[in-house]
Amino acid sequence: EVQLLESGGGLVQPGGSLRLSCAVSGFTFTIYPMSWVRQAPGKGLEWVSTVSDSGVSTYYADSVKGRFTISRDNSKNTLYLQMNSLRAEDTAVYYCAKCGPEIDYYFDYWGQGTLVTVSS
Amino acid sequence: DIVMTQSPDSLAVSLGERATINCKSSQSVLYISNNKNYLAWYQQKPGQPPNLLIYWASTRESGVPDRFSGSGSGTDFTLTISSLQAEDVAVYYCQQYYSTPFTFGPGTKVDIK
């Protein structure tokens, strides 16, 4: 059974940092790209970032470029999102999502999400 | 960036009736070399993460009931629920994965009439 379990969310002040983790199981982590997608309270879905299967290639939404860093540890089956210089508009549930096979960037499995609240 | 729009914003359909949701992309998401439309559909129920229904515009994900179907090509797409069930009450999103930034439509809320 495919499982994705996010952790690391919480309350942080504007300008602060957080690191999200996503521990996965039930599939061969090393051969799939992985992504983060967020959803602000009561709003729609927003793609944040994607990392290739090897971790070499990364892609970001303009809204987070230069502030967020996606990475993965294939030896630990874990995906990360380092979030710096956080802003109020980054407040959202952050979902870890598995991408389709090869370079098919639809999202076929999702975690339950972790809430990040940026507020003073 | 490819902008995704959906219509209607919401709809209410009687149980057993057909529900149709439209999605339009600001530029084609059809990749000519493989003749595939890089378009997916998701269902999100309250308090839950999204669930993949359809990819390549018309390929149903494993385990998704066959009352869900996707159609369209290029810039215009449709998700159809052929016979609405109570458990289909949700918000439905389309997403293009043709190019980054990968973008979602604003969502369509489906309720029971």
Side-chain angles (χ1 to χ4, degrees), chain B residues 11 13 17-21 67 78-84 110:
Chain B
L11 75 161
V13 175
E17 296 300 306
R18 179 184 301 261
T20 301
I21 301 168
R67 63 179 180 274
T78 300
L79 176 70
T80 301
I81 310 172
S82 61
S83 176
L84 192 75
V110 174

Side-chain angles (χ1 to χ4, degrees), chain B residues 1-112:
Chain B
D1 297 3
I2 299 176
V3 177
M4 308 299 291
T5 56
Q6 290 182 229
S7 63
D9 295 336
S10 64
L11 75 161
V13 175
S14 300
L15 288 172
E17 296 300 306
R18 179 184 301 261
T20 301
I21 301 168
N22 300 300
C23 172
K24 189 174 182 68
S25 57
S26 61
Q27 62 191 75
S28 177
V29 298
L30 172 64
Y31 195 42
I32 300 299
S33 65
N34 60 9
N35 199 36
K36 287 185 172 182
N37 287 282
Y38 284 59
L39 190 284
W41 288 97
Y42 302 86
Q43 174 194 65
Q44 187 177 32
K45 298 180 180 180
Q48 296 185 18
N51 180 50
L52 176 67
L53 297 175
I54 303 282
Y55 56 98
W56 301 130
S58 60
T59 301
R60 198 179 302 113
E61 171 72 335
S62 175
V64 173
D66 60 7
R67 63 179 180 274
F68 292 93
S69 63
S71 63
S73 185
T75 61
D76 292 279
F77 301 91
T78 300
L79 176 70
T80 301
I81 310 172
S82 61
S83 176
L84 192 75
Q85 305 300 303
E87 61 265 32
D88 301 334
V89 170
V91 179
Y92 293 83
Y93 296 93
C94 59
Q95 177 231 340
Q96 66 80 19
Y97 50 101
Y98 181 89
S99 64
T100 59
F102 306 126
T103 45
F104 292 87
T108 294
K109 186 175 182 181
V110 174
D111 274 320
I112 305 296

